[in-house]
Amino acid sequence: MEIETPYVLSDFDKTEAEQIEALMAAAKEPYPDPVAWLEEEIEHNVLLTTTEHLIDWGKRFSVWPNTFFPACCAFEVISAAASRFDFSRFGMEVLRPSPRQADLMLVAGTVTWKLAPALRRVYDQMAEPKWVIAMGACAISGGAFRGSYSVVPGINRIIPVDVYIPGCPPRPEGLIYGFMALHRKVAKDKLLKKG
Amino acid sequence: MTKPLSGAEIARQIGEQLSDAVTGSDETTVFVRSEDILNAARFLKENLDFDYLPSITAVDFLDHFDVIYHLRSIKNNYSVVLRTRCDNSGSPRVPSVVSLWQGADLQEREIYDLMGIYFEGHPNMKRIVLWEGYEGHPLRKDFIMDVPGGGKTT
Amino acid sequence: MGPQHPSTHGVFRMRVTFDGEVILDLEPIFGYLHRGIEKLAEHKTYLQNMPYTDRLDYLASMSNNMAYAMAVEKLAGIEVPERAEYIRVIMAELMRISSHLVGVGALFNDMGAFMTPFLYMYREREKLLDLFEMVCGQRLTYNYMRFGGVSHDIPEEFMPTLKRFIDEMPGFIDEYDQLLAENEIVLARSKGVGILPADKAINASVSGPVLRGSGVKWDLRKNNPYSIYDRFDFEIPTGSVGDVYDRYRVRVEEMRQSVRIVRQAMEQLPEGEVRTRVPTPLKPAPGEAYVCIEAPKGELGFYLVSDGSAKPYRFKIRAPSLINLTMLRDMVVGWKLADAIVTLGSIDICMGEVDR
């Protein structure tokens, strides 16, 4: 059945392809991880006042994650959100599908070059302050599929990453440990604490 | 139990209807010329009730491609394999069986995307898993890929 | 719609043309998770490819492992001991229950019962994941099957825990049915929606619960028995019309039948070896093998070509979810967007398989 449209579908395909090729060409080096806050802390020896403590407490315990779920790790996030492990205890109450309402982007699974422009777009749509967690071996470095012609060797080629959670897939407890590490980072705490 | 039919017997039956189409057979497989694949498949569907197409595959044998059709009859519970050969230089063309089995639709597009075999008569022959404008066909043996740890390989 | 959208079951994108709210055309677009497994597998040995098979349909990893192990065993002519066959069947059927729990839970999520049925079903799934962790240490991607059997024997605490689970499970399925099967909203949103007639289903090479929902009594476990399925007594549930409701009922009934099979397998489980010794690296004789099994999503097949070396020459996966998607457009044209979402949920796809 012929349908009248004001556009041609193959144009969409071409624009998508151009975006992918441009991103591939630009992503030769990984983004540096944002650790500048750590040096600043050591340099200036900042003493936090009561108000700042309060603001940090508010900030870190209501980080709302945005779901970006390509592959298998997604199911460990869902397990962590379900009743047994329940990460809403940690303030991640609402899993927001819309990036405009989220603070944290949780990338769980393999990212391919075809998906990369969508990943970049979602990251750009989030408002500051925003953080990114790379969950699972595939998001950190391409994982078991590194070397494939279509897999991005680590999402830090496309967006800067704050916390890396290793595992294939990481257990829900691992994910929660990653969240706690993020909380410490958000609260400007020293991440190099022992234990 | 699904009975795999004898390749020689099916080859004989196809040969009676379509002379020259069959180029050989073995225990379970019938080898057909690539131009005649649509007619042979139609014969099998209409006369022997092969109403189900579980899978279409293509293999790169360095000097030619083989396209392999696994056929099954749900009504009578038997199966056969149809196989055709095509040239692997440039852009080889094989008639599409989408008009007989709609299940061939996405599988033929995938073979086109990854192997480069063009299926004539397919209503929507474009890439499916890789993006438009991608150069090359990855599953071909001459496609070079970086492996981890450095070095390149096919 | 998509690729990042809560109702798309993974990174699946649909280009939909509307007239008001009625769908005129739908084009499914995927490839967002194409990892090149078929190409990568040609550079690794047969055993190194086992973890890749886990990541195809990641909700039913044991089934994928089993299909691949069977394909290599056919290629290389390896026998599997009895005890290993029984363990494989138990794992495969538990996997079927687990996958259908997620499938049905996600379907209800799409229908609007936001998270409640999903979380209830997840409660059972956590028990299953504990069982799997007892056996092989992993919750999601198991890598448990080996060529010639399974990687190691089941521990002592497995059988009592499994018995407790199997005794409780029918009660839970009844509980879900009580809450959901006759619910007005469920009936309104799923009866008559997404109809797939039987002849079109066969023509489109659809398999699994989608095919059986359309009334075609075809299940590889009965029609082409593999492993030891011919020793068990079970039914094949079928639908009548081929709508979303039928597919949901087929999945629930299959869960009941899986419980039945596991119970019989537990009773018949013999003692013995769990693995035949095979040389490593395995070098099968040159040849080809196509093996298909009834995975939870449909007919999962592996086509392997060997050239005598330790690495497969061609590693092809016949993915059920990809082929079941062929009919999405035909089922949905003329309906509204909400119906399209529910229909997609009822086909129960897993993007790891569709894209490989």
Side-chain angles (χ1 to χ4, degrees):
Chain A
M1 176 175 113
E2 278 303 312
I3 302 162
E4 281 286 318
T5 48
Y7 46 78
V8 178
L9 285 178
S10 60
D11 287 343
F12 279 141
D13 288 334
K14 283 202 193 73
T15 22
E16 189 193 2
E18 279 160 23
Q19 284 174 340
I20 297 172
E21 300 280 340
L23 209 52
M24 266 177 90
K28 293 292 178 215
E29 286 293 323
Y31 274 87
D33 299 334
V35 287
W37 60 273
L38 195 59
E39 288 144 21
E40 209 181 87
E41 169 74 55
I42 295 171
E43 253 183 37
H44 297 293
N45 249 332
V46 173
L47 292 169
L48 294 179
T49 64
T50 329
T51 328
E52 284 172 7
H53 263 298
L54 196 63
I55 294 175
D56 280 334
W57 173 87
K59 252 204 298 193
R60 93 176 105 122
F61 284 122
S62 62
V63 178
W64 286 0
N66 167 241
T67 59
F68 197 85
F69 282 170
C72 353
C73 280
F75 279 91
E76 290 295 30
V77 178
I78 296 176
S79 290
S83 350
R84 189 176 181 186
F85 296 103
D86 192 20
F87 60 42
S88 62
R89 301 181 271 161
F90 298 92
M92 313 278 181
E93 173 68 44
V94 209
L95 274 179
R96 287 277 155 205
S98 162
R100 302 253 182 223
Q101 299 161 355
D103 310 293
L104 165 69
M105 185 149 117
L106 181 56
V107 181
T110 324
V111 174
T112 59
W113 286 116
K114 196 168 179 182
L115 190 58
L119 180 69
R120 181 79 223 183
R121 209 177 307 138
V122 168
Y123 180 75
D124 290 336
Q125 281 176 354
M126 281 166 65
E128 291 283 350
K130 55 190 175 187
W131 295 276
V132 175
I133 289 187
M135 178 181 174
C138 293
I140 296 176
S141 70
F145 305 101
R146 191 182 173 91
S148 166
Y149 50 87
S150 67
V151 167
V152 177
I155 60 172
N156 59 1
R157 296 272 176 135
I158 303 179
I159 51 181
V161 175
D162 291 291
V163 175
Y164 297 89
I165 305 179
C168 192
R171 283 189 61 108
E173 291 100 329
L175 177 62
I176 292 176
Y177 186 72
F179 283 148
M180 285 162 61
L182 183 73
H183 286 160
R184 289 205 293 275
K185 191 171 186 177
V186 168
K188 293 193 177 60
D189 222 333
K190 288 198 176 69
L191 202 59
L192 306 171
K193 236 190 262 190
K194 287 194 176 50
Chain B
M1 201 63 202
T2 302
K3 182 168 163 287
L5 293 180
S6 150
E9 173 60 28
I10 303 291
R12 190 186 59 79
Q13 291 191 25
I14 299 180
E16 277 169 13
Q17 285 290 319
L18 308 158
S19 51
D20 292 346
V22 178
T23 56
S25 67
D26 71 18
E27 269 171 40
T28 52
T29 315
V30 183
F31 295 85
V32 175
R33 277 190 329 181
S34 63
E35 306 86 64
D36 294 312
I37 195 83
L38 185 55
N39 294 330
R42 186 175 297 124
F43 171 78
L44 288 175
K45 182 179 178 192
E46 287 166 3
N47 296 54
L48 291 169
D49 284 330
F50 278 103
D51 45 9
Y52 195 78
L53 176 72
S55 107
I56 309 179
T57 315
V59 189
D60 181 355
F61 281 114
L62 298 174
D63 56 349
H64 60 264
F65 285 141
D66 263 4
V67 184
I68 299 149
Y69 299 76
H70 291 268
L71 297 172
R72 191 188 288 152
S73 169
I74 291 211
K75 210 157 126 192
N76 307 320
N77 203 1
Y78 47 58
S79 67
V80 84
V81 181
L82 203 59
R83 198 161 169 152
T84 184
R85 186 159 292 191
C86 59
D87 190 32
N88 77 336
S89 59
S91 183
R93 300 175 99 84
V94 171
S96 162
V97 296
V98 143
S99 50
L100 297 173
W101 297 289
Q102 204 184 342
D105 186 356
L106 297 175
Q107 301 194 68
E108 286 182 348
R109 274 179 70 184
E110 193 202 338
I111 296 178
Y112 168 63
D113 192 358
L114 296 175
M115 281 283 200
I117 300 174
Y118 192 91
F119 287 89
E120 283 165 347
H122 192 284
N124 192 13
M125 187 96 275
K126 59 178 189 179
R127 284 187 181 265
I128 193 171
V129 284
L130 291 169
W131 55 94
E132 167 144 343
Y134 186 85
E135 283 194 26
H137 297 281
L139 272 181
R140 289 192 177 187
K141 290 288 177 185
D142 50 10
F143 183 88
I144 311 286
M145 190 168 82
D146 284 327
V147 282
K152 291 182 186 297
T153 185
T154 53
Chain C
M1 279 180 65
Q4 193 248 354
H5 190 278
S7 73
T8 52
H9 293 267
V11 281
F12 177 61
R13 186 165 161 212
M14 298 187 274
R15 238 186 239 155
V16 194
T17 317
F18 290 100
D19 174 18
E21 234 199 82
V22 176
I23 296 178
L24 295 174
D25 191 19
L26 182 141
E27 189 192 341
I29 303 178
F30 29 87
Y32 292 98
L33 197 52
H34 179 70
R35 298 171 278 196
I37 291 183
E38 295 189 359
K39 181 89 181 168
L40 281 170
E42 290 172 12
H43 301 297
K44 299 194 153 63
T45 66
Y46 286 92
L47 192 58
Q48 284 175 332
N49 287 333
M50 188 62 97
Y52 282 140
T53 61
D54 276 327
R55 281 132 181 100
L56 291 172
D57 176 7
Y58 33 82
L59 294 170
S61 305
M62 291 279 193
S63 303
N64 305 348
N65 280 348
M66 186 167 162
Y68 179 57
M70 281 168 61
V72 174
E73 282 155 13
K74 184 169 172 192
L75 197 59
I78 304 173
E79 291 279 321
V80 180
E82 285 283 300
R83 187 175 168 85
E85 292 274 29
Y86 276 93
I87 295 179
R88 278 186 178 181
V89 166
I90 292 177
M91 293 301 158
E93 293 306 315
L94 288 178
M95 210 70 242
R96 194 180 308 273
I97 298 175
S98 163
S99 174
H100 284 330
L101 280 171
V102 175
V104 171
L107 175 64
F108 282 111
N109 215 5
D110 289 338
M111 281 202 223
F114 180 48
M115 269 306 205
T116 320
F118 190 66
L119 289 177
Y120 267 88
M121 295 186 187
Y122 233 80
R123 181 186 58 179
E124 304 318 308
R125 190 156 182 263
E126 287 289 333
K127 293 185 195 154
L128 272 170
L129 294 182
D130 275 345
L131 279 168
F132 289 128
E133 198 181 347
M134 229 184 263
V135 168
C136 59
Q138 249 284 23
R139 284 162 51 96
L140 206 67
T141 50
Y142 309 109
N143 192 15
Y144 181 56
M145 311 272 173
R146 296 281 182 273
F147 312 129
V150 294
S151 78
H152 30 263
D153 204 350
I154 51 183
E156 280 171 14
E157 53 272 16
F158 184 77
M159 282 311 227
T161 324
L162 179 62
K163 182 155 192 340
R164 209 166 40 239
F165 176 78
I166 289 293
D167 288 337
E168 291 172 348
M169 191 64 192
F172 285 122
I173 301 180
D174 289 335
E175 186 187 327
Y176 303 142
D177 270 354
Q178 216 178 359
L179 286 172
L180 298 163
E182 299 294 322
N183 182 301
E184 266 181 39
I185 299 181
V186 169
L187 290 174
R189 284 205 73 175
S190 63
K191 269 219 178 286
V193 173
I195 294 185
L196 183 63
D199 53 343
K200 275 182 123 178
I202 296 180
N203 192 270
S205 307
V206 163
S207 55
V210 186
L211 183 65
R212 291 193 280 281
S214 296
V216 181
K217 208 173 175 87
W218 177 265
D219 185 329
L220 284 171
R221 294 174 292 168
K222 281 272 192 206
N223 297 79
N224 190 12
Y226 53 93
S227 185
I228 46 168
Y229 275 102
D230 43 5
R231 298 187 203 174
F232 300 117
D233 179 32
F234 59 100
E235 306 271 318
I236 307 293
T238 47
S240 48
V241 179
D243 59 7
V244 169
Y245 189 73
D246 273 343
R247 281 175 231 133
Y248 149 62
R249 291 310 308 162
V250 163
R251 290 199 172 99
V252 171
E253 289 304 316
E254 279 189 7
M255 279 200 268
R256 288 211 174 93
Q257 297 302 317
S258 290
V259 169
R260 212 169 139 189
I261 297 177
V262 173
R263 201 171 269 140
Q264 291 170 50
M266 279 166 61
E267 283 159 20
Q268 298 174 19
L269 183 66
E271 295 297 321
E273 285 281 305
V274 290
R275 195 172 168 188
T276 319
R277 286 278 138 210
V278 294
T280 40
L282 182 65
K283 290 190 184 153
E288 301 170 0
Y290 177 67
V291 165
C292 44
I293 69 160
E294 187 73 28
K297 305 254 174 341
E299 177 184 334
L300 173 67
F302 276 90
Y303 180 73
L304 294 172
V305 176
S306 157
D307 57 354
S309 73
K311 301 182 182 173
Y313 190 79
R314 176 80 171 99
F315 178 91
K316 147 93 183 172
I317 305 155
R318 190 263 187 214
S321 304
L322 173 68
I323 297 172
N324 289 353
L325 274 181
T326 317
M327 289 315 291
L328 180 63
R329 187 184 174 281
D330 292 344
M331 283 200 262
V332 146
V333 165
W335 294 86
K336 304 212 172 59
L337 178 64
D339 300 322
I341 296 177
V342 167
T343 312
L344 179 65
S346 75
I347 303 182
D348 196 14
I349 56 172
C350 182
M351 288 320 285
E353 231 176 10
V354 172
D355 291 334
R356 276 156 286 138

